[in-house]
Amino acid sequence: MSKIIAVCGSPESGKTTFALKLAHSLNNKGKKKVLYVSFDLTIPALSYLFPNCKDSELYSIGKVLDNTDIYREDVLRSIVTTKNMPELGYLGFKTKENKNTYARPTEDKISQLFFYLRAIADYVVIDCDSDRSSVMSTLAKREADTVIQVVTPNLKSVSYFVSNGDQFENMDDKTVKVINIKDNDIYLPIEEVKELFKKVEAVVPYSKALKQQAITGSLSETLNDKMYTDILSMISKVVE
């Protein structure tokens, strides 16, 4: 049975890289079919995941949602894959697309998309938009089998979850809380954040290799950092 995993977090919490590497980790477990999906139209994911690809080599999920009806074949055609991980697919928006590019999709249309995503992949990792007004991300949290809250140990991230906690009401039975160390700072209030959020499943360590991938535009490639990938593998077992 396929599973949808919604990854949520404040702006600049590192949730996109976390969601992406979680998809990589799930893909490595028995070569499962995995989809990474981003609904972010503020910073389209495909533009920085594949910065060296020609525009003709990428496909936008926006065109699928903009159609009158959604068909499985259209979703399949919109999936971007790579040679080194053929069982991992990417769905998102492209460079030059923004919130004014397409009409706001209806709930029925988004639900139909989720139906096809479940049918196509064993795991669907959805990188949710931090904007709570996003219909796509709101439905993703509702449809998800697991909701992962990515918290960076700083006041901005804590404030986001305290101010937007009502989004996660009645989700305790399917929520996993993860602290993500985004930067190599000298002092981080990790224990204080653990105490505030309760039942934190894991602390994802800072990764210099991951930072380098983000800078060089190679996030879609395999990460060579055993400490980081071991923690992601442990989280993968929790959400399986």
Side-chain angles (χ1 to χ4, degrees):
M1 179 178 172
S2 64
K3 289 188 175 181
I4 291 180
I5 302 158
V7 179
C8 311
S10 64
E12 301 177 18
S13 63
K15 68 175 177 58
T16 292
T17 51
F18 171 84
L20 178 67
K21 294 308 177 184
L22 178 63
H24 285 195
S25 182
L26 288 166
N27 176 240
N28 288 333
K29 289 182 175 296
K31 297 299 179 185
K32 298 288 187 179
K33 291 184 178 179
V34 180
L35 287 175
Y36 163 83
V37 183
S38 172
F39 290 135
D40 193 348
L41 266 169
T42 303
I43 306 175
L46 298 184
S47 63
Y48 59 86
L49 292 180
F50 303 101
N52 300 315
C53 285
K54 296 178 182 178
D55 188 67
S56 59
E57 297 173 323
L58 301 176
Y59 314 96
S60 175
I61 188 64
K63 291 186 180 299
V64 176
L65 290 168
D66 208 37
N67 291 333
T68 304
D69 296 300
I70 294 179
Y71 297 100
R72 179 188 173 104
E73 293 74 18
D74 293 331
V75 178
L76 286 169
R77 278 195 293 268
S78 298
I79 297 172
V80 178
T81 58
T82 61
K83 291 181 180 179
N84 59 332
M85 286 184 269
E87 296 299 314
L88 173 61
Y90 302 82
L91 277 167
F93 293 96
K94 296 166 53 174
T95 303
K96 299 181 181 179
E97 294 182 333
N98 56 56
K99 292 181 179 180
N100 297 319
T101 306
Y102 301 105
R104 187 181 175 98
T106 63
E107 290 193 13
D108 287 345
K109 196 175 288 188
I110 298 168
S111 295
Q112 187 65 33
L113 173 64
F114 288 156
F115 173 80
Y116 287 128
L117 295 180
R118 282 189 185 274
I120 291 168
D122 298 300
Y123 296 101
V124 181
V125 180
I126 300 179
D127 177 13
C128 292
D129 195 330
S130 299
D131 183 357
R132 63 182 298 155
S133 67
S134 168
V135 178
M136 292 179 281
S137 292
T138 298
L139 284 177
K141 290 191 280 284
R142 187 188 306 171
E143 294 278 341
D145 300 281
T146 302
V147 176
I148 299 181
Q149 294 182 20
V150 179
V151 184
T152 302
N154 60 36
L155 288 175
K156 183 183 286 187
S157 186
V158 169
S159 178
Y160 173 83
F161 278 106
V162 171
S163 300
N164 294 277
D166 57 315
Q167 293 184 67
F168 306 99
E169 288 179 353
N170 305 316
M171 291 187 184
D172 286 346
D173 59 330
K174 65 177 184 179
T175 297
V176 174
K177 298 172 184 176
V178 172
I179 293 177
N180 185 49
I181 310 300
K182 223 183 100 181
D183 297 301
N184 193 23
D185 292 338
I186 295 174
Y187 171 73
L188 291 169
I190 297 173
E191 295 305 318
E192 291 87 340
V193 173
K194 277 185 180 180
E195 185 176 345
L196 176 65
F197 281 89
K198 314 292 185 190
K199 298 181 180 178
V200 172
E201 195 67 42
V203 176
V204 181
Y206 169 76
S207 171
K208 183 178 179 180
L210 182 61
K211 195 88 170 182
Q212 289 175 332
Q213 282 192 341
I215 292 170
T216 59
S218 56
L219 282 169
S220 62
E221 298 176 6
T222 301
L223 181 67
N224 185 21
D225 184 334
K226 189 175 187 304
M227 183 179 294
Y228 185 95
T229 54
D230 281 352
I231 293 294
L232 267 291
S233 180
M234 183 272 286
I235 297 171
S236 297
K237 291 178 181 178
V238 173
V239 302
E240 283 181 334

